[in-house]
Amino acid sequence: MPHSNVIAFQGLPGAYSDLACRSVHPEMETLPCASFEDAFAAVREGRARLAMIPVENSVAGRVADNHHLLPEGGLHIIGEHFQRVNHQLLAPHGATLATIRTVRSHIQALSQCRRLTRELGLEAIQHADTAGAAAEVAKLDDPRHAAIGSELAAQIYGLQVLRSGIEDAEHNTTRFLIMAREPLMPPAGAGTTITTFVFRVRSVPAALYKALGGFATNGVNMTKLESYMIGGRFTAAQFYADVEGHPEERPLRLALEELAFFAREVKILGVYPANPFRYQESQRDGDD
């Protein structure tokens, strides 16, 4: 299969990452990978043109593994996608809400559907991923066992949906980054742009304050800033940041120049168009 028509993701067929791939690129074939590292490798090695990588969820928070992988994965961010997570209660045909006794899924999916688990008095059983849980329930083919997963997983594994939209939080959404071997930077001035980068600061007082001062003085909106440990050292931290702006536009160019003066190892991971979902959310918040 030509790699130009393939997009890789971590998980089994029917996972939410698979659903995200199909939502953004319905014309492409999806390539399941055992790990995030394997998904990156598939693109680097030419077995896929793109990779769909989750980085944060509105309920569960960040996907920590990928913040470590992004700077060293050898790929570039070329886009973002926000996937609404609609959990379904899946079971073999013939099962009913009265027959099921257990529910299997990824720990995050289980935690996002606690209300239903309590309501039905189900025993929650953790699984490596949602699609794998659906596949296992299909194999068991026992009306006592159910899974939490996507509607796509139900279709793939031949399960019925006993109840739809079972997540506790209506805003349950996962943000994905679309990765490629080569950068695909939009031209400056062509709409709202997101620039993602990582950097380190020296372990001295006010280092982070000074490093970020240029973004404030140049009017650059920073939408995300997170730190995580590197090299197993408590005194060394790397920062991951998303900002609105294009490096070729004056405000962000000046801010990055000032950042480079106070920080070290500044690395841009991608410059890409902002997904409209960001501003739909802001508009809804304003209406409220």
Side-chain angles (χ1 to χ4, degrees), residues 191-244:
T192 305
T193 301
I194 303 297
T195 297
T196 296
F197 57 94
V198 292
F199 65 96
R200 303 180 191 181
V201 296
R202 297 171 181 83
S203 185
V204 296
L208 181 60
Y209 174 81
K210 293 175 181 177
L212 298 182
F215 296 94
T217 56
N218 288 286
V220 175
N221 184 29
M222 181 170 287
T223 61
K224 188 174 189 64
L225 178 66
E226 292 192 347
S227 67
Y228 52 96
M229 185 188 302
I230 54 173
R233 293 176 293 164
F234 289 96
T235 57
Q238 182 156 274
F239 292 88
Y240 170 102
D242 292 336
V243 298
E244 291 181 352

Side-chain angles (χ1 to χ4, degrees), residues 95-149:
T96 67
L97 293 178
T99 66
I100 58 175
R101 297 291 180 268
T102 72
V103 61
R104 289 166 163 79
S105 199
H106 187 276
I107 185 172
Q108 290 187 357
L110 292 172
S111 69
Q112 293 165 13
C113 302
R114 289 193 183 100
R115 188 166 54 215
L116 177 89
T117 304
R118 289 195 302 267
E119 175 191 333
L120 299 179
L122 302 178
E123 176 190 356
I125 300 175
Q126 294 182 19
H127 202 281
D129 56 60
T130 58
E136 184 173 288
V137 165
K139 184 177 180 179
L140 290 170
D141 194 22
D142 186 326
R144 295 173 299 173
H145 303 301
I148 293 172

Side-chain angles (χ1 to χ4, degrees), residues 27-148:
E27 78 286 0
M28 298 181 75
E29 297 291 336
T30 60
L31 175 64
C33 297
S35 68
F36 292 118
E37 288 87 349
D38 291 338
F40 272 72
V43 178
R44 286 198 310 269
E45 296 165 4
R47 290 179 285 116
R49 179 165 64 89
L50 303 174
M52 183 72 71
I53 304 296
V55 289
E56 58 188 322
N57 176 269
S58 61
V59 176
R62 73 181 184 184
V63 182
D65 289 349
N66 290 333
H67 283 74
H68 288 277
L69 184 59
L70 286 169
E72 309 299 333
L75 302 182
H76 302 269
I77 305 169
I78 64 168
E80 63 177 353
H81 170 65
F82 293 82
Q83 181 68 46
R84 179 72 171 83
V85 178
N86 292 115
H87 287 309
Q88 321 292 324
L89 182 62
L90 313 178
H93 290 277
T96 67
L97 293 178
T99 66
I100 58 175
R101 297 291 180 268
T102 72
V103 61
R104 289 166 163 79
S105 199
H106 187 276
I107 185 172
Q108 290 187 357
L110 292 172
S111 69
Q112 293 165 13
C113 302
R114 289 193 183 100
R115 188 166 54 215
L116 177 89
T117 304
R118 289 195 302 267
E119 175 191 333
L120 299 179
L122 302 178
E123 176 190 356
I125 300 175
Q126 294 182 19
H127 202 281
D129 56 60
T130 58
E136 184 173 288
V137 165
K139 184 177 180 179
L140 290 170
D141 194 22
D142 186 326
R144 295 173 299 173
H145 303 301
I148 293 172

